Amino acid sequence: MQWDFSTLIDGLAEDYWFVAPDFVPPSLCQRLYDDLKALDQAHVLTEAGIGRQQQHQLNQQIRGDRTHWLEGQTAPQKDYLEMMRQLKDALNRALFLGLFEYESHYALYPPGTFYRKHLDSLKGRSNRVVTTILYLNPQWDERNGGEMVMYDPNTGQTVTRVTPQQGTLACFMSELMPHEVRPTQADRASITGWFRINASLGPVIDPAL
Ligand SMILES: O=C(O)CCC(=O)C(=O)O
Ligand SMILES: [Fe+2]
């Protein structure tokens, strides 16, 4: 299947962010959602940490989700990673971003959890360039909260509030757009991913986690 990313690319180029409901078809979303639920039932999701490796520290005050890296072990993961591969190529062709790879994880926020306002990439310190988030819950009830709120980097004003409804894709420049996950009152399921540039130093390459 060939995906058309022209509206996404225009939005990203103009505003540094893009959000579209029903961007990913329900059939693929539902297969991903079932895949995530099966992983959760198998108790393989891990509590998310802040930072990597040595700096990795659990911090429930900042974020409360459980995650699992997508590595293409199942058919729906393969299909989604193929879609993101096409998006990477389209972004590189249109915007010359030099994106090198895509790392992504399932995330499950249990009731009462959130992710405080943050940037996905600190200037000059990370190689995450573009963030993508696909929401997986069918029929999200707005009374459950759990919106993703994005802020203007200059004014701090709210730019958009995104309901985590199945099929909605959000996309933004990782270094620029502060955002947060408001407290959720129901299990909230998504796939967060980052397109990265290659931060290789000499012969040592820097693979995705
Ligand atoms: O799930 C979301 O809406 C955002 C998640 C997020 O900000 C992150 O994982 O860095
Ligand atoms: Fe984030």
Side-chain angles (χ1 to χ4, degrees):
M1 165 150 191
Q2 283 298 118
W3 298 89
D4 178 4
F5 295 112
S6 47
T7 54
L8 183 160
I9 287 170
D10 290 349
L12 208 56
E14 240 168 68
D15 304 322
Y16 303 124
W17 63 274
F18 170 83
V19 176
D22 302 319
F23 195 88
V24 178
S27 53
L28 177 55
C29 290
Q30 194 59 41
R31 288 163 62 226
L32 290 162
Y33 187 49
D34 292 344
D35 192 43
L36 168 55
K37 282 190 295 189
L39 290 165
D40 189 38
Q41 270 155 28
H43 302 290
V44 298
L45 302 191
T46 51
E47 286 182 12
I50 309 295
R52 285 183 168 204
Q53 292 162 13
Q54 292 92 332
Q55 307 138 29
H56 181 99
Q57 58 175 141
L58 292 175
N59 197 336
Q60 299 282 325
Q61 298 303 101
I62 297 177
R63 67 186 292 184
D65 55 332
R66 298 198 298 273
T67 63
H68 185 78
W69 293 102
L70 267 77
E71 282 164 356
Q73 301 100 325
T74 62
Q77 290 183 29
K78 282 195 185 75
D79 290 349
Y80 188 63
L81 292 174
E82 165 59 18
M83 180 182 179
M84 292 297 113
R85 188 194 61 75
Q86 289 184 27
L87 176 55
K88 171 170 66 78
D89 291 349
L91 287 167
N92 283 340
R93 271 197 308 270
L95 305 176
F96 308 105
L97 292 177
L99 304 174
F100 176 73
E101 63 186 350
Y102 182 70
E103 59 179 3
S104 58
H105 62 54
Y106 283 123
L108 196 67
Y109 289 76
T113 61
F114 49 79
Y115 192 160
R116 296 252 188 254
K117 188 166 156 187
H118 64 280
L119 285 173
D120 284 352
S121 174
L122 298 179
K123 280 199 179 52
R125 298 257 323 266
S126 163
N127 46 10
R128 290 175 171 177
V129 178
V130 176
T131 301
T132 62
I133 310 161
L134 171 66
Y135 299 99
L136 297 179
N137 285 86
Q139 280 122 30
W140 182 261
D141 184 337
E142 305 226 348
R143 286 171 299 189
N144 286 324
E147 303 102 330
M148 191 266 285
V149 185
M150 227 185 288
Y151 298 93
D152 185 295
N154 300 313
T155 65
Q157 306 265 51
T158 299
V159 175
T160 187
R161 303 176 73 90
V162 183
T163 301
Q165 165 67 29
Q166 187 177 91
T168 298
L169 186 77
C171 200
F172 52 84
M173 300 306 290
S174 310
E175 252 186 24
L176 282 179
M177 301 304 292
H179 58 282
E180 72 174 310
V181 177
R182 300 292 303 149
T184 180
Q185 293 180 47
D187 279 334
R188 176 191 190 273
S190 59
I191 299 175
T192 307
W194 300 272
F195 292 106
R196 302 170 60 189
I197 50 173
N198 187 5
S200 76
L201 296 169
V204 185
I205 62 155
D206 179 26
L209 278 176

